[in-house]
């Protein structure tokens, strides 16, 4: 039978000497600032620790307290988020800050169920904040925790089917004291020692109890079900110019992919290839649209995108959108795919 107390103690000892020094962390034994934990956890979704560090510091320099972030215009937050991707996180961050200030007096609730009700906070983030900021005896399961648990217990069920079992085991193993340190220790073990390739079992504090180490199959766990192929969607982007060379931008609808971000206007993105004339019939204004050579390619989590870019000029500045000089394009929160279109059109 697994001796969870022994596992907890060896890992907490290891954490004391081998933990990663991260800007949002407190010293072992202390609770971290909930605002810092929340901000870092939202940024870390889909993004690496190395990338997040400078963004985290920049956000705190600019908005040291959640009240400032809540009061900031959404565009400022989106702009500061540029480069982190997955902009729905930034919109939810802003909304969440507003709700925490309005409904909770600017303090995150020390309750996992109440945290789960906040915008942009799912089970993982709620568990992480509850454990790390408030020391509540709970856990959160990210990719690192999944890998460590699957190997420690020698789980052969592939992901994602193994998730409920992994969550159950992670919860069973979580201590009632120092739950935050323990959770961060498992995350660190996965990030630095129990790595996806070449895990360093020789210097792992859990080697003695690890099923995969004993079986010599650590690197093959966790098993993964084959991913479905990403489909390819196609669209036509409109590089629309005013007489003085200004470029037409438009804001995307609040809901959906890249919601609320500025964009180069385009047709729908769909799997059926576009007939160019049909796409151009939905252009921002009537003109002789000419295709540019080449294509812009971008990959989102769930699909590949191929865009043909067409260009035209108009003297009518009343068309729907925002005219922007080439020099001030950088003032707008433009997602990576839009920057690719701009580089393509200008290049
Ligand atoms: Fe991972 Fe190896 Fe440690 Fe097992 S012994 S938890 S496989 S690093």
């Amino acid at each position: 039978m697994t001796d969870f107390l022994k596992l907890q103690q060896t890992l907490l000892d290891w954490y004391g000497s081998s933990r990663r020094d991260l800007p949002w962390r407190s010293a072992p034994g202390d609770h971290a600032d909930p605002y810092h934990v929340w901000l870092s956890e939202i940024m870390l979704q889909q993004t690496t620790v190395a990338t997040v560090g400078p963004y985290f510091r920049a956000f705190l320099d600019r908005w040291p307290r959640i009240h400032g972030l809540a009061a900031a215009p959404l565009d400022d937050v989106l702009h500061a988020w540029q480069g982190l991707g997955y902009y729905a996180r930034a919109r939810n961050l802003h909304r969440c800050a507003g709700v925490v200030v309005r409904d909770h007096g600017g303090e995150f609730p020390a309750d996992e169920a109440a945290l789960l009700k906040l915008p942009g906070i799912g089970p993982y983030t709620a568990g992480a904040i509850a454990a790390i900021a408030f020391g509540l005896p709970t856990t959160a399961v990210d990719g690192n925790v999944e890998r460590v648990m699957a190997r420690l217990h020698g789980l052969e069920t592939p992901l994602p089917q193994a998730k409920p079992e992994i969550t159950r085991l992670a919860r069973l193993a979580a201590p009632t004291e120092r739950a935050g340190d323990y959770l961060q220790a498992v995350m660190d073990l996965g990030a630095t020692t129990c790595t996806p390739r070449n895990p360093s079992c020789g210097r792992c504090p859990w080697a003695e109890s690890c099923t995969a180490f004993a079986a010599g199959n650590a690197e093959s766990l966790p098993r993964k079900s084959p991913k479905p192929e990403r489909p390819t969607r196609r669209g036509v982007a409109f590089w629309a110019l005013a007489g003085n060379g200004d470029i037409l931008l438009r804001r995307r609808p609040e809901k959906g992919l890249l919601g609320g971000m500025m964009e180069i206007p385009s047709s729908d993105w769909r799997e059926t290839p576009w007939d160019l004339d049909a796409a151009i019939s939905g252009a921002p204004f009537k003109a002789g649209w000419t295709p540019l050579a080449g294509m812009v390619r971008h990959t989102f989590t769930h699909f590949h995108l191929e865009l043909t870019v067409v260009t035209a000029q108009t003297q009518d500045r009343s068309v729907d959108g925002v005219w922007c000089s080439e020099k001030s394009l950088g003032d707008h929160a433009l997602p990576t795919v839009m920057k690719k279109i701009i580089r393509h059109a200008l290049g």
Side-chain angles (χ1 to χ4, degrees):
M1 206 178 108
T2 312
D3 184 347
F4 287 117
L5 276 181
K6 184 176 157 208
L7 286 175
Q8 289 160 8
Q9 202 46 59
T10 42
L11 192 64
L12 285 169
D13 290 348
W14 174 86
Y15 186 65
S17 59
S18 307
R19 62 200 280 277
R20 290 177 296 172
D21 190 15
L22 302 176
W24 44 86
R25 281 193 170 168
S26 60
D30 291 345
H31 295 170
D33 183 322
Y35 175 49
H36 296 185
V37 177
W38 165 71
L39 185 59
S40 64
E41 288 298 341
I42 301 292
M43 287 182 167
L44 285 165
Q45 292 165 10
Q46 324 273 357
T47 312
T48 63
V49 164
T51 304
V52 165
Y55 282 90
F56 175 79
R57 287 193 197 89
F59 264 66
L60 278 196
D61 281 349
R62 191 159 173 189
W63 299 296
R65 297 188 64 222
I66 196 166
H67 300 78
L69 182 61
L74 175 61
D75 264 359
D76 287 3
V77 177
L78 290 172
H79 202 249
W81 194 268
Q82 261 194 100
L84 280 175
Y86 300 96
Y87 288 88
R89 292 182 296 165
R91 289 199 315 281
N92 278 329
L93 187 88
H94 188 248
R95 275 178 56 219
C96 183
V99 173
V100 169
V101 168
R102 195 189 62 220
D103 298 349
H104 300 276
E107 305 286 343
F108 280 89
D111 175 271
E112 204 173 348
L115 286 165
L116 257 176
K117 290 191 182 136
L118 294 172
I121 296 192
Y124 168 79
T125 311
I129 299 173
I132 299 169
F134 299 113
L136 299 177
T138 184
T139 194
V141 180
D142 69 355
N144 284 323
V145 178
E146 270 175 359
R147 185 167 60 256
V148 174
M149 288 296 139
R151 290 174 177 175
L152 177 68
H153 298 285
L155 294 183
E156 296 283 343
T157 313
L159 285 168
Q161 293 88 329
K163 270 187 189 238
E165 177 65 356
I166 288 177
T167 304
R168 190 186 69 81
L169 289 166
R171 280 189 185 278
L172 262 183
T176 46
E177 303 264 316
R178 296 188 61 193
D181 282 348
Y182 172 82
L183 172 59
Q184 292 176 98
V186 183
M187 290 171 174
D188 280 14
L189 190 71
T192 65
T193 307
C194 194
T195 45
R197 303 234 171 97
N198 299 318
S200 307
C201 301
R203 55 183 176 82
C204 175
W206 278 356
E208 222 180 89
S209 315
C210 179
T211 308
F213 180 47
N217 66 351
E219 206 167 346
S220 68
L221 299 181
R223 302 207 190 285
K224 291 191 178 142
S225 298
K227 276 194 184 161
E229 285 258 306
R230 280 194 187 115
T232 298
R233 295 187 193 166
R234 292 139 184 121
V236 175
F238 302 105
W239 184 249
L241 300 170
N244 66 349
D246 282 359
I247 299 140
L248 183 67
L249 300 180
R250 198 167 63 178
R251 190 177 294 283
R252 291 178 66 82
E254 280 301 321
K255 289 233 149 78
L257 187 68
L258 308 176
M261 306 286 300
M262 296 304 283
E263 68 166 2
I264 305 294
S266 74
S267 67
D268 283 347
W269 301 343
R270 65 184 199 191
E271 286 180 39
T272 318
W274 277 97
D275 168 77
L276 202 54
D277 288 340
I280 286 172
S281 69
F285 51 83
K286 284 204 183 330
W289 292 90
T290 328
L292 299 179
M295 192 169 274
V296 174
R297 290 189 170 81
H298 187 73
T299 295
F300 291 96
T301 322
H302 300 297
F303 64 95
H304 301 290
L305 178 65
E306 291 180 356
L307 291 170
T308 302
V309 183
V310 295
T311 185
Q313 213 178 47
T314 180
Q315 301 302 327
D316 176 10
R317 291 182 73 96
S318 69
V319 294
D320 208 18
V322 178
W323 290 105
C324 171
S325 69
E326 188 183 323
K327 261 204 319 218
S328 52
L329 280 170
D331 298 342
H332 294 275
L334 288 158
T336 307
V337 61
M338 300 304 156
K339 288 183 180 159
K340 284 187 182 174
I341 299 172
I342 291 168
R343 277 200 298 274
H344 181 76
L346 293 176

